[in-house]
Amino acid sequence: MTWLLDLTPDEWNAVRLSIKVATVAMLASLPPGILIALLLARGQFWGKTLLNGLVHLPLILPPVVTGYLLLLTFGKRGPAGAFLAEHFGIVFSFRWTGAALACGVMGFPLMVRAIRLSIEAVDRKMEAAAGTLGANPYWVFATITLPLILPGLIAGAILSFAKAMGEFGATITFVSNIPNETQTLPSAIYTFTQVPGGDEGALRLTLISIVISMAALVASEVLARRVGRRMDIE
């Protein structure tokens, strides 16, 4: 069974890159995720249903379609991609940053939904009470709302991370499958399945993917429970 832990340098690179991409995707998604969740939970505006549909569209679109749309938009010849490359030197297509963008887009609906449900469960009377004491809305959100939605925020972040770890279709369409640059765990597993004698490598990376994803989900549950107990005590 020692062969299960005997990873090649390329396999280790795929593991490290997957964790890096998933972490960056999760952290970059948090600020807009909180904002969009707040708008959907509390906002009353024209186009709210449309916004909700756009946010959740990656869940129902084929991942390849999402990846192709990202390529059209953020590719070197795309409107956003050309602008970012020319003015800021930021390139997404066929780079690991593009893999992070694709993973962030695919995991965004899961993050927003978890945070939105937490916001909707907050007792508005507590926020109103803080407001009557002279606190401005931003301070109320930072000191009352944010701590109350922390379990949902953690759950949404971990779900986004786990989704990013398993993302394949949008990533390979947008940034291809380049070893040491865009080859994440799913792409590496796919590569192993296409070559003779690649079964052992595919199995090793599959088991590692399962372990990392399960560890993330367990950590999410433990953190959410601890935060919940601490809030109950306070």
Side-chain angles (χ1 to χ4, degrees):
M1 295 295 289
T2 56
W3 63 271
L4 289 174
L5 300 177
D6 189 20
L7 272 67
T8 66
D10 285 342
E11 291 170 5
W12 276 117
N13 286 334
V15 173
R16 286 192 291 265
L17 182 61
S18 291
I19 296 175
K20 176 183 177 180
V21 165
T23 302
V24 170
M26 176 189 69
L27 294 177
S29 297
L30 270 175
I34 295 173
L35 177 61
I36 296 297
L38 189 62
L39 284 174
L40 293 176
R42 301 281 179 83
Q44 298 295 332
F45 55 91
W46 183 90
K48 180 178 178 179
T49 301
L50 179 61
L51 176 61
N52 184 61
L54 289 174
V55 168
H56 291 87
L57 197 58
L59 285 179
I60 57 176
L61 278 178
V64 173
V65 173
T66 302
Y68 183 61
L69 291 175
L70 288 173
L71 185 60
L72 290 178
T73 306
F74 292 96
K76 291 184 179 180
R77 297 182 179 179
F83 176 82
L84 291 173
E86 180 179 352
H87 294 87
F88 301 100
I90 299 174
V91 178
F92 287 110
S93 57
F94 308 109
R95 301 284 181 87
W96 75 266
T97 50
L101 175 61
C103 289
V105 169
M106 295 301 294
F108 194 68
L110 299 176
M111 175 183 287
V112 169
R113 182 167 181 79
I115 299 175
R116 177 185 179 180
L117 292 175
S118 293
I119 294 175
E120 291 175 343
V122 171
D123 187 355
R124 300 294 297 273
K125 294 179 181 178
M126 297 179 64
E127 297 172 322
T132 59
L133 296 176
N136 64 60
Y138 300 103
W139 184 252
V140 171
F141 179 80
T143 59
I144 303 295
T145 310
L146 194 58
L148 290 175
I149 68 171
L150 194 55
L153 196 151
I154 293 173
I158 298 299
L159 283 173
S160 173
F161 177 87
K163 175 64 176 176
M165 286 295 299
E167 172 49 37
F168 175 70
T171 302
I172 200 171
T173 304
F174 183 33
V175 297
S176 189
N177 182 15
I178 307 172
N180 301 326
E181 181 64 38
T182 65
Q183 190 178 75
T184 55
L185 277 171
S187 300
I189 292 171
Y190 173 78
T191 300
F192 274 122
T193 63
Q194 303 303 304
V195 298
D199 293 344
E200 287 189 2
L203 181 57
R204 282 195 297 268
L205 294 184
T206 297
L207 293 176
I208 290 173
S209 298
I210 293 172
V211 169
I212 294 175
S213 298
M214 282 300 299
L217 293 174
V218 170
S220 170
E221 185 69 19
V222 171
L223 286 173
R225 288 183 178 180
R226 286 185 178 180
V227 171
R229 285 198 297 266
R230 184 174 299 177
M231 290 172 56
D232 290 339
I233 293 174
E234 295 176 354

